[in-house]
Amino acid sequence: FLTWRSPCLECGTKNINGHGIFCANFFTSKGDFPRCGAAYCGECYTDYEDSPFPVQRTVDEEEDGEEMGFEVDDEAKKRFMHGRTGDHVMGVGFECDVCNFRNINKRDVVWNSEKDLNTLRYIRRASLDVMWSRESDTVRDNFRRMQKDWKSAQEELNIGNVFPKMGRPEMEDKNGIGVAVVMLHTSKRKGRYGDHLQVETIRKTATWYMNAYTAITEEDDGTLFASDDKTMFASSSPTRTKWFQRFQLGMKRRMGVTRKQDEAINSEQILALLETGEHYWKLAADAQEKRGIANIMAFVVIGYGASLRGEEVPLASIKGLNEFWKESMSRGLVMVTLRGKFKGEDNLRWHLVPIVDVTSSGIQVRKWVRRLLFIRCRVGGVEEGPLFVNEAGKQARLSDYNSDFQMFVTQARERHPKVFSSKVEVEDYNLRRSLRRGSTTQAHNNGVLASTIELNNRWRKKEAAKGAELGLAMRQVYTQALSALDTTLRYSRSL
């Protein structure tokens, strides 16, 4: 292939000595079709001008579509939109659009078929995504070094042809380009926070394909790797090929990842929220209505006071709270006890985090936790289990409370309009991260040392690390928590 020469299918320029991009079937007949002979100049293998596929350009855009941010030079604007000389020898095979169409459909293109032509457009985008899984400098340097080494060696040595024959005569989609085309079609659907779906959502297409493929083939792969709780298997699925992994990486680089952060909520807003909760608490007609209010307010004070992720708050345990209720009261704190397990583990662990009864801004933690405990234990007759439960009595999930939380935010905004920004939508406040982000920011703004904030937030890394102690009794964990009490309480006290 380093001696191949052919005019570009797009511009007619003759590419010699392997320059450009050559289809792997350049000298190979596929099925009953003649040899392909397709070749392109690197920059002539381009996406279509009216391509519907999203490309990440800048950090931000104005609502009218005008790009904002740093000026983008012409070369940057061309990223992801064309091939480069040498892309066909970068570790995965390149077949032209027509050859790939034949691989997928086992027939030739019907050139007056709109669906066939549209499929070719998707195939072109998939091939470009594979190419752009590697940067231009990498592709260029690899090709130049290959040419230099090969030419130099041939001048002094007889080495024959060390490369196997390039090309695949069979019409078979071994690389999963058909699935890639489906993923690209899926990518155009409108997303929750943008005009298109995000990469992590799009990748679910490959997941359902893999599940279906394995179920249909029932292949006996054999175990590649096994440990106590994890097993990996070999698979002949096209979505497990190197080509397909490159495609997914290239697509991710092209589209970028848009993360919509939850709006941080500060101490003043927390106080407004709790005042609203107090207002409706006094108006509540029965214990069931009060329980709904206490659920949200206790969730808020625990999540904010301990800087917990929204998914972690429902791990709060009634047994642990009751165990240390009186003892912690004498110390002016609430010892929040979480009971759960880390990913990849089967053992449940205790984690205890102390929060002051009342923060410096006046956030009353103990009051709201006590109210919910009373309803769950005295009214509900429960002695252990999760503090937060859903209507079925099972441990609550974040989604069980989020809509009610946003309802209280709406009411708090109406009662305290100066505390909340009118430019922030209520939907931007979310139990998932608003409490944690707001808590950390507030502590930083209040002058809490970074080391103290880190100590408060690093327990996940410490306890998920290999070698961390497993299965400690709750009282042992409590003793450990007391050893760092002065430092950890500085965090919640500052809020």
Side-chain angles (χ1 to χ4, degrees), residues 209-222:
Y209 176 85
M210 178 63 182
N211 290 334
Y213 180 92
T214 305
I216 293 169
T217 59
E218 295 185 301
E219 53 189 1
D220 184 14
D221 298 315

PDB file of all heavy atoms in Angstrom, residues 209-222:
ATOM      1  N   TYR A 209     -27.704  -3.537  21.901  1.00  0.00           N
ATOM      2  CA  TYR A 209     -27.281  -4.407  20.801  1.00  0.00           C
ATOM      3  C   TYR A 209     -26.453  -5.570  21.338  1.00  0.00           C
ATOM      4  O   TYR A 209     -26.642  -6.724  20.947  1.00  0.00           O
ATOM      5  CB  TYR A 209     -26.478  -3.623  19.769  1.00  0.00           C
ATOM      6  CG  TYR A 209     -25.942  -4.522  18.671  1.00  0.00           C
ATOM      7  CD1 TYR A 209     -26.729  -4.846  17.567  1.00  0.00           C
ATOM      8  CD2 TYR A 209     -24.675  -5.094  18.761  1.00  0.00           C
ATOM      9  CE1 TYR A 209     -26.266  -5.701  16.583  1.00  0.00           C
ATOM     10  CE2 TYR A 209     -24.198  -5.956  17.779  1.00  0.00           C
ATOM     11  CZ  TYR A 209     -24.994  -6.253  16.694  1.00  0.00           C
ATOM     12  OH  TYR A 209     -24.546  -7.107  15.722  1.00  0.00           O
ATOM     13  N   MET A 210     -25.513  -5.266  22.225  1.00  0.00           N
ATOM     14  CA  MET A 210     -24.652  -6.294  22.796  1.00  0.00           C
ATOM     15  C   MET A 210     -25.476  -7.340  23.549  1.00  0.00           C
ATOM     16  O   MET A 210     -25.246  -8.552  23.430  1.00  0.00           O
ATOM     17  CB  MET A 210     -23.620  -5.659  23.726  1.00  0.00           C
ATOM     18  CG  MET A 210     -22.702  -6.637  24.427  1.00  0.00           C
ATOM     19  SD  MET A 210     -21.678  -7.556  23.265  1.00  0.00           S
ATOM     20  CE  MET A 210     -20.786  -8.615  24.400  1.00  0.00           C
ATOM     21  N   ASN A 211     -26.456  -6.883  24.322  1.00  0.00           N
ATOM     22  CA  ASN A 211     -27.314  -7.809  25.060  1.00  0.00           C
ATOM     23  C   ASN A 211     -28.086  -8.717  24.109  1.00  0.00           C
ATOM     24  O   ASN A 211     -28.188  -9.932  24.319  1.00  0.00           O
ATOM     25  CB  ASN A 211     -28.278  -7.033  25.948  1.00  0.00           C
ATOM     26  CG  ASN A 211     -27.585  -6.366  27.114  1.00  0.00           C
ATOM     27  OD1 ASN A 211     -26.529  -6.817  27.553  1.00  0.00           O
ATOM     28  ND2 ASN A 211     -28.165  -5.288  27.622  1.00  0.00           N
ATOM     29  N   ALA A 212     -28.651  -8.120  23.055  1.00  0.00           N
ATOM     30  CA  ALA A 212     -29.424  -8.906  22.093  1.00  0.00           C
ATOM     31  C   ALA A 212     -28.523  -9.868  21.320  1.00  0.00           C
ATOM     32  O   ALA A 212     -28.877 -11.036  21.100  1.00  0.00           O
ATOM     33  CB  ALA A 212     -30.150  -7.962  21.129  1.00  0.00           C
ATOM     34  N   TYR A 213     -27.350  -9.393  20.923  1.00  0.00           N
ATOM     35  CA  TYR A 213     -26.413 -10.230  20.162  1.00  0.00           C
ATOM     36  C   TYR A 213     -26.018 -11.466  20.970  1.00  0.00           C
ATOM     37  O   TYR A 213     -26.022 -12.593  20.467  1.00  0.00           O
ATOM     38  CB  TYR A 213     -25.171  -9.414  19.813  1.00  0.00           C
ATOM     39  CG  TYR A 213     -24.121 -10.172  19.028  1.00  0.00           C
ATOM     40  CD1 TYR A 213     -24.128 -10.150  17.633  1.00  0.00           C
ATOM     41  CD2 TYR A 213     -23.133 -10.900  19.683  1.00  0.00           C
ATOM     42  CE1 TYR A 213     -23.164 -10.843  16.911  1.00  0.00           C
ATOM     43  CE2 TYR A 213     -22.171 -11.603  18.967  1.00  0.00           C
ATOM     44  CZ  TYR A 213     -22.194 -11.569  17.584  1.00  0.00           C
ATOM     45  OH  TYR A 213     -21.238 -12.257  16.875  1.00  0.00           O
ATOM     46  N   THR A 214     -25.685 -11.255  22.234  1.00  0.00           N
ATOM     47  CA  THR A 214     -25.267 -12.367  23.087  1.00  0.00           C
ATOM     48  C   THR A 214     -26.409 -13.345  23.320  1.00  0.00           C
ATOM     49  O   THR A 214     -26.212 -14.564  23.344  1.00  0.00           O
ATOM     50  CB  THR A 214     -24.744 -11.841  24.431  1.00  0.00           C
ATOM     51  OG1 THR A 214     -23.706 -10.885  24.199  1.00  0.00           O
ATOM     52  CG2 THR A 214     -24.196 -12.958  25.289  1.00  0.00           C
ATOM     53  N   ALA A 215     -27.623 -12.812  23.486  1.00  0.00           N
ATOM     54  CA  ALA A 215     -28.780 -13.679  23.695  1.00  0.00           C
ATOM     55  C   ALA A 215     -29.084 -14.520  22.458  1.00  0.00           C
ATOM     56  O   ALA A 215     -29.451 -15.691  22.558  1.00  0.00           O
ATOM     57  CB  ALA A 215     -29.998 -12.831  24.055  1.00  0.00           C
ATOM     58  N   ILE A 216     -28.897 -13.924  21.282  1.00  0.00           N
ATOM     59  CA  ILE A 216     -29.207 -14.634  20.033  1.00  0.00           C
ATOM     60  C   ILE A 216     -28.154 -15.684  19.716  1.00  0.00           C
ATOM     61  O   ILE A 216     -28.470 -16.828  19.366  1.00  0.00           O
ATOM     62  CB  ILE A 216     -29.316 -13.623  18.870  1.00  0.00           C
ATOM     63  CG1 ILE A 216     -30.540 -12.721  19.080  1.00  0.00           C
ATOM     64  CG2 ILE A 216     -29.416 -14.347  17.526  1.00  0.00           C
ATOM     65  CD1 ILE A 216     -30.580 -11.526  18.146  1.00  0.00           C
ATOM     66  N   THR A 217     -26.880 -15.310  19.840  1.00  0.00           N
ATOM     67  CA  THR A 217     -25.803 -16.235  19.454  1.00  0.00           C
ATOM     68  C   THR A 217     -25.532 -17.295  20.512  1.00  0.00           C
ATOM     69  O   THR A 217     -25.090 -18.398  20.189  1.00  0.00           O
ATOM     70  CB  THR A 217     -24.499 -15.460  19.200  1.00  0.00           C
ATOM     71  OG1 THR A 217     -24.125 -14.750  20.394  1.00  0.00           O
ATOM     72  CG2 THR A 217     -24.678 -14.465  18.065  1.00  0.00           C
ATOM     73  N   GLU A 218     -25.798 -16.939  21.785  1.00  0.00           N
ATOM     74  CA  GLU A 218     -25.517 -17.856  22.891  1.00  0.00           C
ATOM     75  C   GLU A 218     -24.115 -18.451  22.769  1.00  0.00           C
ATOM     76  O   GLU A 218     -23.897 -19.649  22.985  1.00  0.00           O
ATOM     77  CB  GLU A 218     -26.546 -18.980  22.952  1.00  0.00           C
ATOM     78  CG  GLU A 218     -27.947 -18.508  23.283  1.00  0.00           C
ATOM     79  CD  GLU A 218     -28.928 -19.647  23.448  1.00  0.00           C
ATOM     80  OE1 GLU A 218     -29.093 -20.422  22.490  1.00  0.00           O
ATOM     81  OE2 GLU A 218     -29.518 -19.753  24.520  1.00  0.00           O
ATOM     82  N   GLU A 219     -23.159 -17.596  22.422  1.00  0.00           N
ATOM     83  CA  GLU A 219     -21.806 -18.071  22.180  1.00  0.00           C
ATOM     84  C   GLU A 219     -21.139 -18.508  23.474  1.00  0.00           C
ATOM     85  O   GLU A 219     -21.308 -17.909  24.526  1.00  0.00           O
ATOM     86  CB  GLU A 219     -20.977 -16.971  21.510  1.00  0.00           C
ATOM     87  CG  GLU A 219     -20.999 -15.645  22.247  1.00  0.00           C
ATOM     88  CD  GLU A 219     -20.341 -14.544  21.436  1.00  0.00           C
ATOM     89  OE1 GLU A 219     -19.904 -14.809  20.323  1.00  0.00           O
ATOM     90  OE2 GLU A 219     -20.273 -13.410  21.950  1.00  0.00           O
ATOM     91  N   ASP A 220     -20.363 -19.552  23.371  1.00  0.00           N
ATOM     92  CA  ASP A 220     -19.608 -20.059  24.508  1.00  0.00           C
ATOM     93  C   ASP A 220     -18.212 -19.448  24.447  1.00  0.00           C
ATOM     94  O   ASP A 220     -17.299 -19.974  23.815  1.00  0.00           O
ATOM     95  CB  ASP A 220     -19.525 -21.583  24.446  1.00  0.00           C
ATOM     96  CG  ASP A 220     -18.826 -22.163  25.672  1.00  0.00           C
ATOM     97  OD1 ASP A 220     -18.663 -21.416  26.652  1.00  0.00           O
ATOM     98  OD2 ASP A 220     -18.460 -23.358  25.619  1.00  0.00           O
ATOM     99  N   ASP A 221     -18.074 -18.284  25.110  1.00  0.00           N
ATOM    100  CA  ASP A 221     -16.859 -17.505  24.938  1.00  0.00           C
ATOM    101  C   ASP A 221     -15.702 -17.978  25.799  1.00  0.00           C
ATOM    102  O   ASP A 221     -14.540 -17.825  25.447  1.00  0.00           O
ATOM    103  CB  ASP A 221     -17.140 -16.034  25.275  1.00  0.00           C
ATOM    104  CG  ASP A 221     -18.185 -15.447  24.345  1.00  0.00           C
ATOM    105  OD1 ASP A 221     -18.082 -15.677  23.136  1.00  0.00           O
ATOM    106  OD2 ASP A 221     -19.084 -14.776  24.846  1.00  0.00           O
ATOM    107  N   GLY A 222     -16.005 -18.491  26.963  1.00  0.00           N
ATOM    108  CA  GLY A 222     -14.946 -18.798  27.912  1.00  0.00           C
ATOM    109  C   GLY A 222     -14.604 -17.575  28.736  1.00  0.00           C
ATOM    110  O   GLY A 222     -14.722 -16.444  28.282  1.00  0.00           O
TER     111      GLY A 222
END
